[in-house]
Amino acid sequence: GAVVSQHPSWVICKSGTSVKIECRSLDFQATTMFWYRQFPKQSLMLMATSNEGSKATYEQGVEKDKFLINHASLTLSTLTVTSAHPEDSSFYICSGLAGGANEQFFGPGTRLTVL
Amino acid sequence: GNSVTQMEGPVTLSEEAFLTINCTYTATGYPSLFWYVQYPGEGLQLLLKATKADDKGSNKGFEATYRKETTSFHLEKGSVQVSDSAVYFCALRGGGSQGNLIFGKGTKLSVKP
């Protein structure tokens, strides 16, 4: 299957700082990218859906001003957690979907720990 | 709303044992059902899927049958290997081919030699 990478794989930051997570589709063009978060022993919860060149669509309860998503190219989407707090500590996973396809390809995830 | 419930792990089996991971769902309409697998350090990979009632998805010796009458999609394998150790996620998608995926909590499987 197609490959999606995420960087960094893990990050520790201080409360109040901002953290950027990159998601790249390495061998296909992802017209749509999804961002999920996963708490320990919980399901993956969809945070937002972004289409290349458009503003992201956020799920109910997800603060769009806190979780900034940019999908400026067909191979790169970024998630920026602004003014991070300890409750933002989680596992963030992205996935990409090629135009006209019906299978998402997932990145390996990024572990964020906010101290 | 739509939801997925799967058995909690961890599940520990000996090599060549029979595996069942239960998954039930709640959905309106006719969802598509999926099993994803996540090996250590890697992203989720699609293991198998079924798009309508009574369909059987299969891959790498794993099987799951879409049972509408019991709203279930249990994952089975007749003889597990150490290399099957991973986290398994049941998921559904409603609302057309590009609808959102809704995941279960995941079940960690460890297979001992």
Side-chain angles (χ1 to χ4, degrees), chain A residues 31-33 35 48-58 64-65 67-72 77-78:
Chain A
T31 53
T32 304
M33 283 189 169
W35 285 95
T49 303
S50 72
N51 291 298
E52 185 263 339
S54 302
K55 288 185 178 180
T57 301
Y58 290 81
K64 62 181 181 180
D65 294 329
F67 299 100
L68 302 179
I69 292 172
N70 182 283
H71 190 173
S77 176
T78 60

Side-chain angles (χ1 to χ4, degrees), chain A residues 38-44, chain B residues 4-11 21-23 35-38 44 75 86-91 102-109:
Chain A
Q38 183 182 26
F39 293 105
K41 298 184 179 180
Q42 299 294 318
S43 300
L44 278 74
Chain B
V4 175
T5 302
Q6 66 181 100
M7 65 185 287
E8 292 192 24
V11 174
I21 301 178
N22 290 338
C23 172
W35 277 100
Y36 283 83
V37 57
Q38 185 175 30
L44 274 73
L75 182 68
V87 181
Y88 292 82
F89 292 88
C90 185
I102 296 171
F103 289 89
K105 293 183 179 181
T107 302
K108 184 176 181 180
L109 170 66

Side-chain angles (χ1 to χ4, degrees), chain A residues 32 34 36 38 41-44 46 49 59 91 93 97-98 100-104 106-108, chain B residues 4 34 36 38 41-46 49 89 93 97-106:
Chain A
T32 304
F34 303 87
Y36 300 83
Q38 183 182 26
K41 298 184 179 180
Q42 299 294 318
S43 300
L44 278 74
L46 181 66
T49 303
E59 295 299 300
F91 196 57
I93 301 171
L97 181 69
N102 61 10
E103 181 176 349
Q104 295 180 30
F106 288 81
Chain B
V4 175
F34 305 82
Y36 283 83
Q38 185 175 30
E42 299 182 16
L44 274 73
Q45 301 173 25
L46 179 63
K49 67 179 180 182
F89 292 88
R93 182 175 62 208
S97 64
Q98 298 208 0
N100 296 334
L101 285 168
I102 296 171
F103 289 89
K105 293 183 179 181

Side-chain angles (χ1 to χ4, degrees), chain A:
Chain A
V3 180
V4 173
S5 69
Q6 284 185 237
H7 178 79
S9 56
W10 59 271
V11 57
I12 301 172
C13 69
K14 293 182 178 180
S15 184
T17 61
S18 294
V19 174
K20 180 184 285 188
I21 302 170
E22 293 185 348
C23 175
R24 293 182 185 273
S25 56
L26 299 184
D27 51 4
F28 70 102
Q29 294 185 325
T31 53
T32 304
M33 283 189 169
F34 303 87
W35 285 95
Y36 300 83
R37 67 186 297 182
Q38 183 182 26
F39 293 105
K41 298 184 179 180
Q42 299 294 318
S43 300
L44 278 74
M45 301 297 295
L46 181 66
M47 298 175 65
T49 303
S50 72
N51 291 298
E52 185 263 339
S54 302
K55 288 185 178 180
T57 301
Y58 290 81
E59 295 299 300
Q60 191 173 10
V62 178
E63 299 175 59
K64 62 181 181 180
D65 294 329
K66 181 171 185 60
F67 299 100
L68 302 179
I69 292 172
N70 182 283
H71 190 173
S73 80
L74 288 171
T75 58
L76 174 64
S77 176
T78 60
L79 167 67
T80 301
V81 183
T82 62
S83 186
H85 291 283
E87 58 265 30
D88 299 324
S89 298
S90 189
F91 196 57
Y92 293 87
I93 301 171
C94 71
S95 70
L97 181 69
N102 61 10
E103 181 176 349
Q104 295 180 30
F105 296 98
F106 288 81
T110 297
R111 172 77 60 194
L112 170 64
T113 301
V114 184
L115 302 177

